[in-house]
Amino acid sequence: MRERLRWGLRRGRGLGWGRGLPWGRSRPHTLIAEGTGSIVAGGDIGHATVYIGTGGENITAQDLRARAGHERIERERALAERQREAFARHFLPKARASVRTDGVTWDFTGRREALRRIVTWLTDPADNHRGLVVSGGPGSGKTAVLGLIASLADPRHHAHVPIDRVGVREEALPPPNSLTTVIHAAGLKAETIVDAVAHAARRSTTSTPVVLIDAVDETDEPELLIDEVLKHLLLDGSVRLLLGMRTELATRLHDLCDMVDLDGDFADPDGLRRHVEHVLLQATEDSPFRRAPAAGTVSRVAEGVARVAEPSFLVGRLLARMLAARAEPPDLHPGWETELPRLPGEILERDLTERLGREHAERALDLLRPLAFAEGNGLPDEDIWAGLAGRMAGRHYDYADVLWLREHVGSYAVRSTDQGHTVYQPHHLSLAEHLRAVPDPQAVHRCFVDHLVDHTPVRADGTRDWRRASFYTHAYLATHIAKAGGHPVLDELMLDPAYLLGAIPHRLLGALDGHRLPADRNVSEVRSAINAYRQAAADFRRAEPELRPAALDLAVRTHGARTLEARMAPVPAASPWKARWVDMHPRRSGYTLTKLSGEVTRMSAFRYGGEQYLAVVSDAGEIEVWNVDADRPVISGTIAKGKHITGLDTVVANGHVYLATSSATRVQLWDVFGGDRALGGWPVGHAASDSETSAVAFAEVGGELRLFCMTDEGLLHRIDVLGATRLPSLPMNSACDFMRSNATAVVSTVGGRPRAVVSAWNGVQLIDLETGRGEDCSGGSGYARGIQVIPRTDPPQFLVGKDNHTIHRVHLDRAPQELRTSPESVRDVDVWTRGSDIFAIAGYDYCDRPLEVFSLTRPGLSVSDFHDVRSAVSQVRVMELRHGHLVIAAGQRSGAVRIWDFPEVPE
């Protein structure tokens, strides 16, 4: 074995890898493995150094790329299968709009004008926008309309639609195959939808594929999907999009899409009345309207219900079901319809109370509520549902109660499937939203976590046997942990290989984003396990399930996660490959320092008492100060709930650490380690301003420490820091109209005078802190979002990142030098020196690689392959921890602050 090991290393060096490697690829990796499966460990495929197979052959990067192509095909097959399931489970049932409990009859009614308009858009791309949005409020029938279009456009399903029964006219029939693909977006991440659209584009037989995406408002981050994905696709013109979403979101696409508003111009009162009439007669065999004694009763009731419900088909349908379940038709006295409830939740509670009585209605609501909080397609029965409902309600429920619910009010709990298991969910999202209206939603998710953990079998030694946990636990426990705001059990899960191998990677990674490791004990093993899982999870997404044990084993040994390694079973003999010896540098896996509820708007780093600290603020008014070396918070709270904090600076002086924050109307001063931390607060800006324009900076003027605050009102506010008193403000020339939202300010000495360098539309402005006078510092287009002083420059130079996708080196005495074009808007920059090198760190808006490090002294050295950056980076800071360990902190638009090792740099 030793001889073979030496041979493998010699062959690796002989290939020449390790010489001239692009920066960021770390040191050469060496892995000796048995087998010939798809091995993609140690970074992206192009980062591999050498893989030695059973016969001694070298598996090169080219081989790996070919295998990756095979994996891409497998992923696309899985994606196509998911789309087929979504069609059968989501679009087809909604298109039928079946009144009966069997769910297979076609009872779709009306919407002729909306259908005709959609078909016109499909068949006439030249005279229409590239996008068409079908919008409306909850229950307007968006999915029913889109599902019918999708069914008619698909030759496999077209013959299944009873066109005459549904009443679809010829001009409302879409051409065959006019939709390239259909996507049910509920619960999906933006990147998953991008993959699906890319797959559609690759297999499209037309020059411009047409993609239907429904439930845009139900995705993980709908605003992100619209602003950073859908808008770009529409502007690019490479795809046409037929979208379904609620009205309030549809306004974000008003300039790029045609609109079919089902509650506005395309409302259908007559179709609603006819649908209500149909439900009154067909909802149950015992409907009193089948034997209504008075002529015209059904029509009169349908008209009254339609008037109350308009424009919501869901409200009309629920009201009609409620009336059809009564023993007798309503008394049609004048104004009878005004007594009907008008909201889905109110209808639900009225219907349950009338049919079951108040006590049993509460019982039914208790049993329905867990379904509203369930993830995926719903909650499985499988002895989870009843016990969870009882835990949430503080009562005892068992399987008999579930059977009772399904027998008496089963129409409110829709049966579906998830990963081959039967699950149940509320009849409509509006009902789920009503059931989720509880005082403490996080407490409900904690109930989910506790119940799922308790429900997991226990081994003889008292540990949980996660291999035998329910499919729902494997799939969604991590999501409930994230929505519960964290849970101590996550540390235990990260040290259990059986759970890690069975969990859905993107859901567990989402829980880890907001996970805070406890500060009162040694968490190094947990952190190593988290970093190992982040590496393995990337391979999980690219490889077949049978390769997971080998990938996790490799990652665990790479990161030195000793506890997790000791608990892992040997890689199965059936695995296509397994590592025998590893000498690999870990990927730069970021760990989450903290997770705020709002976007990280500013960060400031400082050293105090030999330890590294990081201050963070958000656009939700939160502030946190962390000891990064000790991984514990020093300050955590909310300054002004819901208010943007756009200015932040820190300074160490006179044995104190002073921190300043600013919003549109207030500047505040803090002593971070003082007994009474808040030293004072002063109004700034316009009293009624909702602007995000404010910047703060500490500077020494005339030997005195001052705090300066700049807003768009045209005044330079000054505060004596040691005395915590306000000084007279100075007027800034040009009324500071160069400042815009999220202004940035840094301080430097220019010509022997302290100057603030502040964001401006065309680069930066130079503000004299002694006089308040300002002057343009550089030209060029684009708003400066990130500014830092470049060390070792005299006169000082500045690194400036702009929202026009450029990064400049700004000189005071000549034109700015454009250093690079970035993949997206530059949100922030930082600068760091290491030996004779000067490095720049940039954070970008949503793109494939939103974090980048590059050299200012050696052009061509750059790295942007930081593993697992899943959100736009709004702030970046480089920090030096104990023992000279360099890290990069990235504050993200998701609210997470994550830490990466500074990349290795070739000499």
Side-chain angles (χ1 to χ4, degrees):
M1 179 63 185
R2 185 170 299 173
E3 285 299 312
R4 177 184 175 193
L5 193 153
R6 289 199 199 99
W7 180 86
L9 288 175
R10 286 198 303 271
R11 290 287 300 272
R13 283 194 293 269
L15 289 171
W17 284 313
R19 296 194 303 270
L21 276 173
W23 181 40
R25 300 300 189 251
S26 301
R27 58 190 167 95
H29 306 321
T30 304
L31 164 67
I32 293 181
E34 293 181 355
T36 56
S38 175
I39 308 171
V40 285
D44 290 342
I45 290 166
H47 304 183
T49 298
V50 59
Y51 295 89
I52 308 300
T54 307
E57 72 276 13
N58 292 295
I59 303 175
T60 65
Q62 286 78 12
D63 299 315
L64 289 171
R65 288 191 184 95
R67 288 176 181 175
H70 171 72
E71 290 165 6
R72 177 179 59 79
I73 293 171
E74 292 300 317
R75 288 199 307 273
E76 291 184 350
R77 286 177 181 170
L79 183 62
E81 179 61 30
R82 183 191 303 164
Q83 291 170 352
R84 284 192 291 270
E85 290 179 2
F87 190 91
R89 188 184 67 248
H90 177 74
F91 288 101
L92 200 55
K94 294 290 187 180
R96 291 189 183 114
S98 182
V99 171
R100 301 177 188 178
T101 55
D102 59 14
V104 298
T105 58
W106 283 82
D107 295 315
F108 186 98
T109 306
R111 298 299 191 190
R112 291 175 178 173
E113 286 302 309
L115 294 170
R116 184 194 59 77
R117 178 67 185 92
I118 295 171
V119 170
T120 300
W121 179 85
L122 285 170
T123 56
D124 188 10
D127 291 335
N128 292 281
H129 282 94
R130 295 189 181 101
L132 176 67
V133 175
V134 178
S135 66
S140 60
K142 300 180 290 295
T143 302
V145 170
L146 292 173
L148 181 59
I149 287 289
S151 300
L152 292 170
D154 191 332
R156 296 170 299 176
H157 301 286
H158 182 96
H160 174 64
V161 183
I163 295 176
D164 292 336
R165 177 187 176 95
V166 173
V168 180
R169 296 174 177 173
E170 185 175 352
E171 66 269 19
L173 291 175
N177 295 312
S178 50
L179 295 175
T180 308
T181 193
V182 296
I183 302 169
H184 178 217
L188 298 183
K189 300 177 76 65
E191 48 263 44
T192 304
I193 296 171
V194 170
D195 286 345
V197 174
H199 169 61
R202 280 193 294 269
R203 70 184 185 89
S204 176
T205 58
T206 62
S207 58
T208 307
V210 181
V211 178
L212 189 162
I213 307 176
D214 187 32
V216 171
D217 49 289
E218 299 176 44
T219 58
D220 274 5
E221 296 178 282
E223 291 85 1
L224 162 65
L225 175 64
I226 291 173
D227 294 341
E228 306 300 336
V229 176
L230 301 183
K231 285 183 178 179
H232 290 288
L233 289 172
L234 291 167
L235 290 169
D236 178 69
S238 58
V239 64
R240 302 181 73 214
L241 297 176
L242 176 57
L243 307 168
M245 68 186 78
R246 292 189 178 183
T247 304
E248 57 269 22
L249 273 178
T251 57
R252 303 172 81 98
L253 291 170
H254 191 268
D255 294 336
L256 297 174
C257 294
D258 295 317
M259 296 288 166
V260 173
D261 184 356
L262 298 182
D263 294 340
D265 294 340
F266 290 87
D268 187 3
D270 184 61
L272 172 59
R273 181 194 58 76
R274 288 187 283 115
H275 185 67
V276 168
E277 186 174 290
H278 190 66
V279 175
L280 291 172
L281 292 168
Q282 301 294 330
T284 67
E285 293 182 359
D286 299 328
S287 171
F289 296 96
R290 292 191 176 189
R291 46 184 171 78
T297 298
V298 175
S299 296
R300 292 176 60 192
V301 171
E303 289 173 0
V305 169
R307 281 196 298 271
V308 171
E310 192 176 352
S312 174
F313 272 62
L314 173 66
V315 172
R317 184 187 185 93
L318 292 175
L319 284 173
R321 279 188 175 277
M322 181 183 76
L323 297 176
R326 291 178 176 177
E328 298 294 335
D331 178 12
L332 300 182
H333 58 273
W336 69 272
E337 68 272 20
T338 61
E339 300 171 3
L340 295 173
R342 295 173 178 266
L343 297 176
E346 295 174 354
I347 300 170
L348 169 67
E349 298 202 15
R350 172 84 69 88
D351 185 29
L352 294 178
T353 302
E354 289 182 354
R355 278 202 273 168
L356 308 173
R358 183 170 299 279
E359 182 178 347
H360 285 299
E362 291 181 0
R363 178 189 180 193
L365 290 171
D366 287 345
L367 291 164
L368 288 170
R369 188 160 284 112
L371 307 186
F373 282 91
E375 295 295 324
N377 296 333
L379 190 68
D381 190 348
E382 297 182 359
D383 73 345
I384 292 178
W385 182 358
L388 180 57
R391 190 171 200 142
M392 289 169 57
R395 300 177 182 177
H396 174 75
Y397 291 123
D398 56 25
Y399 184 56
D401 295 285
V402 172
L403 289 177
W404 168 84
L405 178 80
R406 281 155 47 184
E407 178 182 353
H408 289 86
V409 289
S411 61
Y412 288 116
V414 179
R415 181 175 176 175
S416 185
T417 59
D418 193 339
Q419 302 177 46
H421 297 261
T422 299
V423 295
Y424 294 85
Q425 59 186 345
H427 169 68
H428 193 273
L429 179 61
S430 296
L431 298 178
E433 290 173 343
H434 175 77
L435 292 165
R436 288 198 292 260
V438 297
D440 188 357
Q442 285 192 339
V444 175
H445 288 287
R446 284 194 293 272
C447 278
F448 266 83
V449 176
D450 292 336
H451 186 74
L452 294 174
V453 170
D454 292 345
H455 187 262
T456 301
V458 178
R459 303 184 186 94
D461 62 359
T463 60
R464 293 179 181 87
D465 188 355
W466 294 104
R467 291 172 299 179
R468 297 166 57 202
S470 73
F471 93 92
Y472 187 88
T473 300
H474 279 297
Y476 305 115
L477 174 59
T479 303
H480 288 295
I481 290 174
K483 291 187 176 181
H487 196 283
V489 76
L490 190 53
D491 289 350
E492 175 188 332
L493 296 175
M494 296 312 300
L495 295 175
D496 192 297
Y499 175 79
L500 299 181
L501 290 169
I504 295 179
H506 80 269
R507 295 186 180 276
L508 181 50
L509 291 172
L512 291 174
D513 273 352
H515 184 47
R516 293 180 178 177
L517 295 172
D520 58 349
R521 59 187 175 87
N522 187 349
V523 294
S524 59
E525 282 299 302
V526 177
R527 175 164 292 153
S528 296
I530 290 174
N531 287 337
Y533 181 77
R534 288 189 184 278
Q535 172 177 315
D539 294 342
F540 289 178
R541 293 194 291 264
R542 290 193 290 244
E544 296 83 357
E546 59 267 23
L547 290 173
R548 286 189 173 191
L552 182 60
D553 171 70
L554 177 61
V556 164
R557 289 200 268 166
T558 300
H559 286 270
R562 294 182 298 273
T563 300
L564 188 56
E565 182 178 5
R567 296 178 180 179
M568 287 192 63
V571 175
S575 175
W577 67 272
K578 55 183 176 181
R580 287 298 189 189
W581 184 87
V582 179
D583 177 22
M584 301 178 72
H585 190 278
R587 288 178 179 159
R588 289 177 296 280
S589 299
Y591 72 88
T592 301
L593 180 72
T594 186
K595 179 74 160 60
L596 306 181
S597 63
E599 174 186 337
V600 175
T601 52
R602 285 286 177 264
M603 297 196 312
S604 180
F606 61 91
R607 295 190 65 82
Y608 182 72
E611 296 185 307
Q612 180 68 59
Y613 292 83
L614 182 68
V616 186
V617 293
S618 80
D619 63 3
E622 302 153 295
I623 179 172
E624 292 189 359
V625 179
W626 279 76
N627 182 327
V628 184
D629 274 308
D631 194 23
R632 62 179 176 82
V634 175
I635 294 176
S636 181
T638 300
I639 299 176
K641 189 173 180 61
K643 294 290 186 181
H644 280 59
I645 303 176
T646 56
L648 171 69
D649 197 16
T650 56
V651 67
V652 181
N654 302 315
H656 295 264
V657 177
Y658 297 105
L659 181 149
T661 61
S662 64
S663 61
T665 58
R666 190 169 181 81
V667 60
Q668 292 183 260
L669 180 65
W670 313 75
D671 183 347
V672 174
F673 297 101
D676 183 7
R677 287 174 172 153
L679 298 179
W682 300 270
V684 295
H686 306 286
S689 175
D690 60 354
S691 168
E692 300 175 11
T693 303
S694 65
V696 289
F698 289 103
E700 190 173 290
V701 178
E704 301 290 337
L705 184 60
R706 299 280 187 261
L707 170 64
F708 296 89
C709 179
M710 290 142 279
T711 72
D712 60 359
E713 66 182 318
L715 294 176
L716 178 63
H717 301 280
R718 303 184 299 162
I719 294 166
D720 176 18
V721 175
L722 300 186
T725 56
R726 186 167 189 166
L727 303 174
S729 300
L730 298 175
M732 290 190 291
N733 60 314
S734 303
C736 211
D737 60 0
F738 51 83
M739 293 182 68
R740 293 297 183 268
S741 65
N742 295 312
T744 301
V746 297
V747 172
S748 182
T749 301
V750 180
R753 300 171 68 89
R755 307 287 184 100
V757 184
V758 188
S759 302
W761 270 119
N762 296 322
V764 294
Q765 277 271 331
L766 207 60
I767 306 296
D768 189 319
L769 296 179
E770 293 182 354
T771 65
R773 296 192 60 81
E775 58 184 273
D776 286 331
C777 184
S778 71
S781 61
Y783 182 64
R785 285 189 175 272
I787 308 171
Q788 286 294 339
V789 181
I790 299 176
R792 305 171 184 169
T793 55
D794 186 21
Q797 300 171 16
F798 306 93
L799 187 71
V800 177
K802 299 187 176 185
D803 62 0
N804 65 353
H805 302 204
T806 61
I807 299 176
H808 286 77
R809 187 171 191 149
V810 173
H811 307 262
L812 297 179
D813 53 354
R814 60 182 186 273
Q817 172 190 0
E818 183 175 317
L819 297 179
R820 66 204 301 108
T821 299
S822 59
E824 251 298 345
S825 172
V826 185
R827 298 296 302 271
D828 194 25
V829 295
D830 200 5
V831 184
W832 192 262
T833 61
R834 198 171 189 179
S836 60
D837 290 318
I838 302 176
F839 299 108
I841 301 90
Y844 303 134
D845 225 324
Y846 290 101
C847 59
D848 289 338
R849 299 188 174 191
L851 183 61
E852 182 181 20
V853 178
F854 58 93
S855 174
L856 296 181
T857 49
R858 286 193 277 170
L861 292 182
S862 67
V863 57
S864 58
D865 62 339
F866 291 87
H867 176 59
D868 208 27
V869 187
R870 295 192 303 279
S871 176
V873 172
S874 55
Q875 290 283 285
V876 288
R877 290 294 177 271
V878 182
M879 301 179 292
E880 184 173 352
L881 307 186
R882 292 193 191 106
H883 315 300
H885 184 58
L886 284 182
V887 297
I888 298 172
Q892 301 183 283
R893 289 187 68 174
S894 66
V897 178
R898 302 182 63 198
I899 306 292
W900 280 267
D901 290 341
F902 197 92
E904 291 187 359
V905 182
E907 297 299 331

